[in-house]
């Protein structure tokens, strides 16, 4: 800590913090509390008639029995997509950090660049790529990896592909950030001590990049679990995710049920994330 | 990054034991090393290519004259879409709305978020670590949860009929804030405190030190945060869709069009957005290179 920092009092800190802190409290924390209380409303009410607070958990029981399938599917799709993101994102982040040389910044720009075309437009683009008469399906059919009447669009594969694609930068950037901090001499030391490249990777590079890996998985998995755009545009009615259901319930004005589902999703994610972070041993991540 | 600085790095990437490749066994080993060294780069480039395929398709489709309303394949080259970008009813209005909201949300979120970042990095106060976790939370919440809780708040507060520009703006500022704080914080934390001490030693007062030393050094981080905010805001669908009322932002327009048949002009907007952002990033990069050389 430098002495300049020590001299600065806490009061100025609070003043600087106040506007953003107030905004986040008012429009992030208070809404979450409202969401929880809404989830206990009597579903028989409506916006016009008003709601009765029942204080019962009936909403939770009914949405969980009705939509557990979509729930599990969301978690499954998100987990699969996150795994594929690791498999694709790690080599890319590694290449940028260690092999790109003076092309490093350009490659980093290239990772974020696709972001700048709207999320929805990119997803629609995948609709085109995976379409029944598209070249991907043709190639796969030619290679007999896909049956004559097999298709990709409107299947779980398409949904997971879309999710993977859309959230890949969230994996690559944190991974790159932690790989970039690794001193290349540590890796050289590994090979000087006659460790095979694989052993060096397993015992030196991978553990040192763990914070990035954990951050990347979280930043990919969490938005992926709540996403419904990919399921809607690339899937069919049998690939609906929990986001589709929540959105539909809100559109239909069933606020209490929708709120109960949202709260459940948030709770499940918090539990999963805590378990995962504890397991990965990076509790001081945030 | 300067060329002189990276050239030795590249050399050190190559295997150290390269010199002794006389026997056949070593030749294979050397080849294996070459492969191991370039395999990762190759895979990385392939992944990058994968990331660009959809973008290339968007660019290509912006020059397409579709055969029918629901046809998605490339039919015929045309410049018509570029000549009449605003032809689809309501599309340009939605772009305009998204730009307005994006600019306003960026302005407010960048200002508030920068102040908060300064507080978190430069000041020691009770509850600082709580505030740190607190800013991380919105980034770690699924959009559907944030969107639905905001809607729950607006409905509970009796604003269900008043959803629109203001509610969208409130939501966008909220989710941009965390990203601004994190980006500016990273830049601030990487700042060498000795630079500010040097200014103070040279009899600059705190105000002068801030505006002449600290702020210019942090500015690239603030700029990056603003760019990030704008693209997050411009691109958001899930939260916006829940809180927009009758307003239609560009992503909402695209969503609607996806159900009815997509006008090719959407791809024109997508291409323009992509090129604009790329241009801004490259200009920024050129600027830092020029400064580093000077």
């Amino acid at each position: 800590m430098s002495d300049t920092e020590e001299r600065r009092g806490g009061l100025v800190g609070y003043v600087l913090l106040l506007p953003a802190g107030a905004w986040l409290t008012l429009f992030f924390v208070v809404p979450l509390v409202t969401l929880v209380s809404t989830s206990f409303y009597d579903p028989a009410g409506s916006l016009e008639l008003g709601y009765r607070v029942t204080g019962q958990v009936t909403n939770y029981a009914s949405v969980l029995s009705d939509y557990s399938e979509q729930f599990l599917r969301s978690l499954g799709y998100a987990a699969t997509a996150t795994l594929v993101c690791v498999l694709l994102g790690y080599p890319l982040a590694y290449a940028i950090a260690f092999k790109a040389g003076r092309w490093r910044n350009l490659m980093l720009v290239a990772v974020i660049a696709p972001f700048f075309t709207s999320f929805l437009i990119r997803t629609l683009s995948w609709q085109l790529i995976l379409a029944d008469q598209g070249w991907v399906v043709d190639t796969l059919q030619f290679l007999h990896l896909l049956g004559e009447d097999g298709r990709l669009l409107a299947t779980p594969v398409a949904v997971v592909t879309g999710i993977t694609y859309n959230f890949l930068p969230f994996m690559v950037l944190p991974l790159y950030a932690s790989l970039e901090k690794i001193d290349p001499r540590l890796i050289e030391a590994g090979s000087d001590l006659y460790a095979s490249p694989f052993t060096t990777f397993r015992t030196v590079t991978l553990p040192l990049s763990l914070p990035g890996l954990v951050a990347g998985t979280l930043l990919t998995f969490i938005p992926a679990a709540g996403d419904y755009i990919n399921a809607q545009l690339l899937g069919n009615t049998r690939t609906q995710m929990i986001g589709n259901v929540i959105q539909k319930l809100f559109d239909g004005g069933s606020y209490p049920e929708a709120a109960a589902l949202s709260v459940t999703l948030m709770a499940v994610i918090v539990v999963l994330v805590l378990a995962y972070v504890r397991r990965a041993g990076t509790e001081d991540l945030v | 990054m300067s060329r002189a600085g990276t050239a030795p790095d590249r050399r050190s990437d190559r295997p150290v034991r390269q010199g002794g490749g006389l026997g056949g066994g070593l030749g294979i080993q050397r080849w294996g090393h070459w492969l191991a060294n370039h395999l990762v780069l190759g895979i990385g480039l392939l992944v990058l290519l994968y990331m660009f395929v959809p973008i290339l398709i968007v660019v290509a489709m912006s020059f397409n004259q579709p055969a029918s309303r629901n046809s998605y394949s490339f039919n015929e080259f045309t410049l018509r879409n570029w000549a009449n970008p605003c032809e689809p009813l309501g599309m340009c209005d939605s772009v305009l709305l998204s730009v307005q909201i994006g600019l306003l949300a960026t302005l407010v979120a960048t200002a508030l978020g920068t102040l908060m970042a300064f507080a978190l990095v430069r000041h020691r106060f009770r509850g600082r670590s709580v505030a740190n976790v607190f800013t991380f939370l919105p980034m770690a919440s699924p959009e559907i949860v944030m969107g639905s809780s905001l809607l729950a708040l607006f409905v509970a507060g009796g604003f269900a009929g008043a959803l629109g520009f203001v509610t969208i703006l409130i939501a966008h500022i909220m989710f941009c804030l965390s990203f601004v704080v994190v980006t500016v914080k990273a830049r601030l934390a990487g700042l060498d405190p000795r630079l500010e001490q040097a200014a103070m030693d040279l009899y600059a007062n705190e105000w002068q030190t801030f505006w002449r030393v600290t702020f210019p050094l942090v500015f690239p981080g603030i700029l990056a945060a603003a760019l990030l905010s704008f693209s997050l805001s411009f691109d958001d669908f899930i939260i916006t869709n829940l809180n927009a009322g009758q307003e239609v932002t560009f992503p909402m327009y695209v969503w609607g069009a996806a159900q009815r048949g997509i006008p090719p002009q959407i791809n024109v907007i997508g291409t323009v957005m992509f090129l604009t952002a790329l241009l801004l990033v490259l200009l920024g990069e050129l600027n830092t290179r020029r400064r580093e050389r000077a």
Side-chain angles (χ1 to χ4, degrees), chain B residues 151-249:
Chain B
L151 179 61
L153 176 75
F154 292 141
V155 168
F159 293 106
L163 294 175
F165 192 89
V166 177
T167 49
I168 301 177
L169 193 60
I170 287 174
H172 283 209
I173 293 170
M174 185 271 292
F175 68 71
C176 288
L177 261 178
S178 300
F179 287 92
V180 174
V181 174
V182 170
T183 313
V184 178
K185 233 172 77 180
R187 180 84 194 179
L188 254 179
L191 209 76
D192 189 344
R194 283 173 302 183
L195 292 171
E196 284 162 300
Q197 284 160 12
M200 300 284 234
D201 287 349
L202 295 168
Y203 299 106
N205 61 31
E206 252 186 70
W207 190 249
Q208 287 168 321
T209 309
F210 178 80
W211 285 112
R212 302 235 182 123
V213 179
T214 318
F215 188 76
L217 286 170
V218 181
F219 189 66
I222 299 177
L223 211 60
L227 190 63
L228 184 64
S229 287
F230 185 81
S231 58
L232 284 170
S233 162
F234 195 89
D235 207 18
D236 182 74
F237 174 72
I238 296 182
I239 297 178
T240 313
N241 191 32
L242 282 164
N243 294 291
Q246 299 303 312
E247 298 282 354
V248 178
T249 62

Side-chain angles (χ1 to χ4, degrees), chain B residues 26-43:
Chain B
L26 278 175
I28 290 173
Q29 202 183 359
R30 189 201 282 181
W31 193 80
H33 270 296
W34 186 91
L35 189 70
N37 259 316
H38 292 80
L39 188 66
V40 186
L41 189 60
I43 296 176

Side-chain angles (χ1 to χ4, degrees), chain B residues 104-115:
Chain B
L104 280 172
T106 301
L107 200 70
V108 179
T110 309
L112 300 190
T114 303
L115 293 182

Side-chain angles (χ1 to χ4, degrees), chain A residues 232-243:
Chain A
Q232 182 75 33
L233 295 180
L234 302 173
N236 60 14
T237 47
R238 296 185 44 79
T239 60
Q240 298 260 300
M241 293 170 68
I242 204 64

Side-chain angles (χ1 to χ4, degrees), chain A residues 1-5 7-10 12-14 16-17 19-21 23-32 34-35 38 41 47 51 87-92 94-96 98-107 109-122 124-129 135 161 164-165 168-170 172 184 188 191-192 194 197 218-219 222-223 225-229 232-233 243 246-247 250-251 255 258-259 262-263 265-266 269 285-286, chain B residues 1 3 6 9-10 12-13 16-17 33 36-37 40-41 43-45 47-48 50-55 57-58 61 72-73 108 112-113 115-116 118-127 131-146 148-156 160 169-171 173-174 177-179 181 193 196-197 200 206 227 231 235 237-238 241-242 250-252 254-255 258-259 262 266-267 269-271 273-274 277-278 281-282 285 289:
Chain A
M1 226 88 327
S2 73
D3 55 335
T4 2
E5 280 170 37
R7 259 193 295 119
R8 287 178 184 161
V12 186
Y14 286 122
L16 292 176
L17 195 71
W23 199 283
L24 284 177
T25 310
L26 211 57
F27 300 117
F28 178 72
V29 179
V30 175
L32 277 180
T34 323
L35 185 75
T38 307
Y41 286 176
L47 272 188
Y51 286 102
L87 295 178
L88 293 177
Y90 206 106
L92 178 56
Y94 189 92
I96 300 176
F98 295 120
K99 308 283 177 192
R102 63 196 173 94
W103 300 107
R104 185 188 270 195
N105 281 11
L106 193 70
M107 279 178 84
V109 170
V111 171
I112 2 176
F115 247 125
F116 297 132
T117 304
S118 163
F119 188 98
L120 282 158
I121 296 182
R122 275 179 289 150
L124 287 173
S125 196
W126 276 102
Q127 224 177 43
L128 210 72
I129 299 171
W135 52 273
T161 307
T164 305
Y165 177 80
L168 187 56
F170 288 108
V172 177
E188 268 171 42
S191 72
D192 285 350
Y194 298 105
L218 294 183
L219 286 177
I222 296 169
D227 177 74
Y228 63 86
I229 297 172
Q232 182 75 33
L233 295 180
I246 297 176
Q247 174 67 41
F250 270 116
D251 282 345
Y255 293 95
S262 271
V263 173
L265 175 65
M266 189 70 187
I269 284 179
L285 183 73
V286 282
Chain B
M1 183 161 300
R3 278 174 200 206
T6 47
D9 279 9
R10 290 194 74 203
S12 71
D13 282 345
V16 188
R17 288 186 294 267
H33 270 296
N37 259 316
V40 186
L41 189 60
I43 296 176
L45 288 176
V47 175
L48 265 188
Y50 158 79
M51 296 181 77
F52 270 89
V53 168
I55 310 300
I57 288 185
V58 170
M61 294 306 273
Y72 294 131
S73 50
V108 179
L112 300 190
L115 293 182
M116 188 164 187
F118 267 93
L120 292 176
V121 177
R122 288 306 174 84
H123 297 270
R124 299 284 167 274
F125 51 87
R126 208 181 284 254
N132 259 320
V133 176
F134 185 57
T135 41
F136 187 77
L137 274 180
M139 290 199 294
S141 311
E143 281 194 68
I144 187 87
V145 174
M146 281 193 279
S148 54
S149 49
L150 262 177
L151 179 61
L153 176 75
F154 292 141
V155 168
L169 193 60
I170 287 174
I173 293 170
M174 185 271 292
L177 261 178
S178 300
F179 287 92
V181 174
E196 284 162 300
Q197 284 160 12
M200 300 284 234
E206 252 186 70
L227 190 63
S231 58
D235 207 18
F237 174 72
I238 296 182
N241 191 32
L242 282 164
F250 180 62
M252 290 172 70
V254 178
W255 180 259
Q259 335 283 333
I262 305 149
I266 279 183
N267 298 309
I269 307 285
T271 309
M273 276 158 57
F274 175 72
L278 210 58
V281 173
L282 289 179
E285 176 70 18
R289 280 196 189 201

Side-chain angles (χ1 to χ4, degrees), chain A residues 140-152:
Chain A
L140 288 178
Q141 280 172 344
F142 178 75
L143 294 170
H144 292 283
L145 290 170
L146 202 67
E148 277 302 307
D149 51 354
R151 57 189 312 217
L152 286 174

